[in-house]
Amino acid sequence: MLRAIGCLCILSGMLGISQVYVAGIRAHYRQLLDGKELLYRLGNEMCYLKLPLPQLLKRLAQTIHAPYSGVLTDLAAELDAYREADVKKLWCEVLQHHKKEFLLSMTEYRTLQEAGSILTHENGQMQEGAVRLYSEQFDRLIEQAAKEMENRLKLCRYLSAAAGIFLILVLI
Amino acid sequence: MKSIYYIFPVKLREGLLKCRIHMDCLEEIRVRVGQPLIFWYGGKEWYYDAHQMRLSEQLEDGYIMMEEDLTDMVMFLSRYSVYAFEEEMHNGFVTLEGGHRVGIAGQVRMERGKVADIRYISFLNIRVAKQKQGCARNLLPYLIHGKQIYNTLIVSAPGIGKTTYLRDCIRMLSDGTSYLNGLRIGLVDERSEIAACHLGVPQNDVGQRTDVLDRCSKSEGMRILLRAMSPQVIAVDELGAEEDYQAVEQTLNCGSRILGTLHAADIQELKEKKLVQKWLAHHTFERYVVLHKAESGSRNFKIYDDNLELLC
């Protein structure tokens, strides 16, 4: 009876661990989608609403998911303080400050950093071009992440099950 | 003053704050690439001495503005949003919080006879906003007719202060006085000179019952205000174009009153203007206020009736 309970505990424990990993993989994918949404909305609102950047960032921060909301809020505060004239530099600094909250790979994170140049363009046409460019890059990253996600999810589930069985065999 | 300091490069800001410049005495700041930063302060030109962090009369002390300083300033004055201020920049100025105005000059790119872009912005003129509240106090009683006002045109040469007088009249009419209840004023501020709106909010006091249509052409603005805000008085600066005539007629037909300004050095020049001749023929305006600058610098006014007969 005790052995059966032990087995059950190990299996449910491993299942729990695998769920944590699965949630992490999904959150990573979600962050990529949110990143693309941010680029689109940022570009559109800059082109059509023509609000000054600090106001626009505060407005977007209210409707976008974390960690992007925090990044936008902090960037708006930096801009309000007029501490530095280079917006892209400020964008990179704020991203760096929030880096731990991002689940992105190095390549994805760099793309996000580079996408900050959208904020520096002086007219609508240049911005539209930049938004298109970085959106395409994000599309590729999302496509790649979607392909990998299924495999990673399967791998995560099989590994946790295998690890659970291995532990049961070793311990019992 | 904060809004002015913030458009300067970070490295200059601390020093400028230490200068303890009194806003009442500061008229304008001239910024030119490769030239010293010049302050028009207390009726004199001063150079900014970045080492001593003070204003100096000596040219050799003057801080020479670099190209990157101007680039930073354009970024700051547009609040990092040149795209949002494109239209203002095409018109050659940006209004800051507090109503201060930054004039812009550089290399202009024309497209079909219109300014498409100003690149290489190398010259800035920061004009400090000053409201002279109460300057039109003595004028106002002459404009009031029962519970309304006469259709009035304030006339003067450039730089005499007709816009300042107009703003003060708007403020007092809007807030009301001991002898007149406040009126609903519709203000068409084509060049953002009267209300000096920054992000849609008037930076100058134009009264509690004033609705502002900022950066809109006078003729179109008057029509919009009539339809949308039912103003008792429509205020406009610098009437004079042919299309303004139609809009003024339309305003009067709708029962609103007009309070406007017009460029003319004296009554003779006023009479020679074709548009004014039409208005005189139809007795459109009932009061013409002609402003003059006395030798002491104070402003005097003369008031004429609809036949240009001197009243006082």
Side-chain angles (χ1 to χ4, degrees):
Chain A
M1 186 62 183
L2 271 174
R3 283 181 180 178
I5 293 169
C7 289
L8 210 64
C9 284
I10 289 170
L11 277 176
S12 52
M14 292 318 289
L15 193 72
I17 291 170
S18 80
Q19 281 308 309
V20 170
Y21 279 106
V22 166
I25 293 166
R26 289 205 168 119
H28 164 249
Y29 186 67
R30 181 79 246 164
Q31 279 192 1
L32 281 175
L33 292 177
D34 286 345
K36 193 189 163 186
E37 187 193 338
L38 171 69
L39 292 187
Y40 259 118
R41 291 184 58 191
L42 203 56
N44 280 344
E45 299 207 5
M46 283 167 91
C47 277
Y48 302 112
L49 282 184
K50 301 225 171 200
L51 281 177
L53 212 44
Q55 269 101 323
L56 196 141
L57 295 175
K58 282 177 207 163
R59 203 180 120 100
L60 269 178
Q62 289 172 351
T63 54
I64 211 135
H65 296 117
Y68 296 102
S69 56
V71 171
L72 298 188
T73 308
D74 287 359
L75 183 61
E78 290 287 341
L79 298 185
D80 275 338
Y82 295 92
R83 190 175 59 79
E84 162 70 52
D86 186 347
V87 196
K88 196 176 167 196
K89 193 174 165 190
L90 286 172
W91 166 259
C92 291
E93 280 178 20
V94 172
L95 271 183
Q96 187 63 32
H97 184 70
H98 285 265
K99 197 176 177 185
K100 282 182 186 165
E101 298 164 45
F102 282 101
L103 304 165
L104 306 178
S105 67
M106 216 43 219
T107 318
E108 292 159 350
Y109 182 77
R110 275 202 203 113
T111 308
L112 188 63
Q113 273 186 328
E114 287 302 315
S117 57
I118 289 173
L119 304 170
T120 62
H121 292 304
E122 293 182 2
N123 66 47
Q125 282 174 333
M126 285 164 78
Q127 261 153 17
E128 275 181 49
V131 168
R132 212 177 304 124
L133 174 75
Y134 290 108
S135 292
E136 280 167 13
Q137 291 190 11
F138 260 81
D139 278 339
R140 279 198 290 276
L141 293 172
I142 289 167
E143 205 178 314
Q144 199 180 338
K147 270 186 203 162
E148 285 173 4
M149 190 168 70
E150 281 309 309
N151 294 334
R152 285 172 74 191
L153 288 177
K154 272 184 200 163
L155 185 71
C156 193
R157 285 183 190 124
Y158 291 147
L159 271 179
S160 62
I165 291 164
F166 176 73
L167 272 176
I168 289 167
L169 289 175
V170 169
L171 295 173
I172 300 171
Chain B
M1 190 64 191
K2 224 176 167 184
S3 57
I4 293 181
Y5 280 125
Y6 275 131
I7 70 164
F8 279 94
V10 180
K11 63 182 178 191
L12 294 182
R13 254 181 243 162
E14 192 193 348
L16 287 171
L17 277 166
K18 280 186 181 166
C19 280
R20 293 174 191 272
I21 294 164
H22 294 288
M23 286 296 283
D24 296 341
C25 305
L26 182 61
E27 288 165 46
E28 61 179 36
I29 305 168
R30 294 276 180 172
V31 185
R32 298 176 179 102
V33 170
Q35 299 295 332
L37 179 60
I38 299 175
F39 285 71
W40 260 102
Y41 186 72
K44 271 168 70 179
E45 265 191 0
W46 297 81
Y47 301 102
Y48 174 62
D49 181 348
H51 295 294
Q52 302 292 324
M53 296 183 182
R54 65 184 172 94
L55 296 184
S56 164
E57 286 181 88
Q58 306 302 317
L59 172 62
E60 52 271 25
D61 294 337
Y63 174 79
I64 305 294
M65 294 301 287
M66 314 297 279
E67 204 179 316
E68 54 268 28
D69 291 335
L70 266 287
T71 311
D72 285 5
M73 287 184 79
V74 171
M75 220 41 181
F76 290 136
L77 74 91
S78 67
R79 305 195 74 207
Y80 302 91
S81 325
V82 178
Y83 64 90
F85 289 88
E86 260 180 296
E87 211 179 299
E88 284 90 332
M89 288 193 173
H90 292 177
N91 289 329
F93 65 88
V94 172
T95 307
L96 301 179
E97 200 177 340
H100 314 296
R101 176 182 280 209
V102 184
I104 292 163
Q107 191 187 79
V108 174
R109 187 171 63 85
M110 302 292 285
E111 223 173 66
R112 292 177 197 153
K114 284 188 174 179
V115 177
D117 203 0
I118 300 185
R119 293 175 291 188
Y120 308 115
I121 296 173
S122 310
F123 312 95
L124 299 176
N125 174 22
I126 305 161
R127 289 169 64 189
V128 179
K130 286 195 179 89
Q131 294 184 72
K132 294 193 173 150
Q133 291 196 354
C135 65
R137 194 178 294 126
N138 296 333
L139 169 66
L140 201 66
Y142 297 103
L143 309 186
I144 289 165
H145 177 56
K147 288 184 177 176
Q148 260 290 2
I149 63 159
Y150 289 110
N151 295 316
T152 304
L153 210 48
I154 302 172
V155 179
S156 82
I160 301 296
K162 54 186 175 306
T163 305
T164 311
Y165 267 70
L166 176 67
R167 186 189 301 120
D168 206 39
C169 286
I170 293 168
R171 181 184 63 81
M172 286 188 286
L173 291 170
S174 176
D175 285 342
T177 63
S178 54
Y179 45 89
L180 179 77
N181 290 333
L183 299 170
R184 288 190 307 277
I185 314 271
L187 168 61
V188 188
D189 199 1
E190 190 174 7
R191 291 163 58 187
S192 286
E193 276 185 317
I194 308 169
C197 285
H198 174 72
L199 308 177
V201 181
Q203 300 296 300
N204 290 332
D205 184 2
V206 285
Q208 56 183 288
R209 294 179 188 85
T210 304
D211 305 306
V212 184
L213 208 53
D214 190 37
R215 304 276 161 87
C216 184
S217 72
K218 286 182 280 285
S219 51
E220 193 54 37
M222 283 192 260
R223 289 185 190 108
I224 292 172
L225 282 174
L226 279 176
R227 283 198 299 266
M229 308 308 284
S230 65
Q232 290 168 293
V233 177
I234 287 193
V236 278
D237 201 12
E238 289 176 23
L239 288 166
E242 195 54 44
E243 59 267 26
D244 296 344
Y245 179 79
Q246 300 277 340
V248 166
E249 291 297 304
Q250 200 177 350
T251 302
L252 298 179
N253 288 338
C254 291
S256 292
R257 296 282 162 158
I258 290 275
L259 177 61
T261 68
L262 193 127
H263 272 309
D266 52 33
I267 206 76
Q268 195 53 43
E269 193 182 325
L270 185 69
K271 281 178 188 171
E272 286 165 11
K273 288 192 182 273
K274 279 186 183 169
L275 199 64
V276 176
Q277 286 167 5
K278 276 197 211 177
W279 282 328
L280 282 170
H282 291 95
H283 301 279
T284 306
F285 285 97
E286 298 149 305
R287 291 290 180 267
Y288 292 87
V289 178
V290 182
L291 293 177
H292 296 283
K293 188 177 178 181
E295 276 183 18
S296 61
S298 65
R299 269 57 168 177
N300 303 320
F301 57 82
K302 285 181 178 170
I303 300 173
Y304 298 83
D305 68 5
D306 52 345
N307 293 313
L308 287 187
E309 300 286 335
L310 183 65
L311 292 176
C312 64

